[in-house]
Amino acid sequence: MSDAANDISGLSFEEALKQLETIVRELEQGNVPLEKSIDMYERGDALRKHCDALLKSAEAKVEKIQLGQNGEATGTGALDPQ
C-alpha cells in the first residue's frame, strides 16, 4: 500500500470529508496547475472511496428500533438496505 493510501486509511470520516471538501473547493477555483490538479483529483477520488467505505460500514452497524402495537420498543432489527 502506498504512503498516500496508508495516510487516507487512517483518517476518520470527518477528517477525510474535510480534506475532500478542501480539494473540491481548490479545484473549482481553477487556480491550480494541471499536474497538481491531477494529483489532487486522484487524492480526492481516494478520499471519496474511503468515505464511502466508512459510511457502508456504519450503515451495516445501524439497527432500527422495532415498536410494538402499544408504541413501546420491543427490540431491534437490521436496518433495511434501502
Side-chain angles (χ1 to χ4, degrees):
M1 196 179 290
S2 70
D3 288 342
N6 283 331
D7 177 42
I8 289 172
S9 68
L11 295 175
S12 70
F13 176 81
E14 293 79 10
E15 292 167 334
L17 186 59
K18 184 175 181 179
Q19 285 188 24
L20 183 56
E21 289 170 343
T22 299
I23 288 171
V24 169
R25 188 172 41 254
E26 289 180 18
L27 289 174
E28 286 179 340
Q29 290 175 354
N31 299 328
V32 181
L34 180 60
E35 280 301 314
K36 185 175 180 187
S37 67
I38 292 169
D39 291 341
M40 291 173 69
Y41 178 85
E42 289 173 348
R43 180 165 177 84
D45 188 48
L47 287 163
R48 180 197 57 80
K49 289 175 183 175
H50 180 66
C51 287
D52 187 51
L54 290 173
L55 280 175
K56 286 181 179 174
S57 175
E59 286 174 352
K61 294 176 185 175
V62 174
E63 296 179 325
K64 66 179 179 180
I65 297 172
Q66 297 173 339
L67 301 177
Q69 289 182 338
N70 61 0
E72 291 184 20
T74 59
T76 60
L79 180 68
D80 295 332
Q82 295 295 344

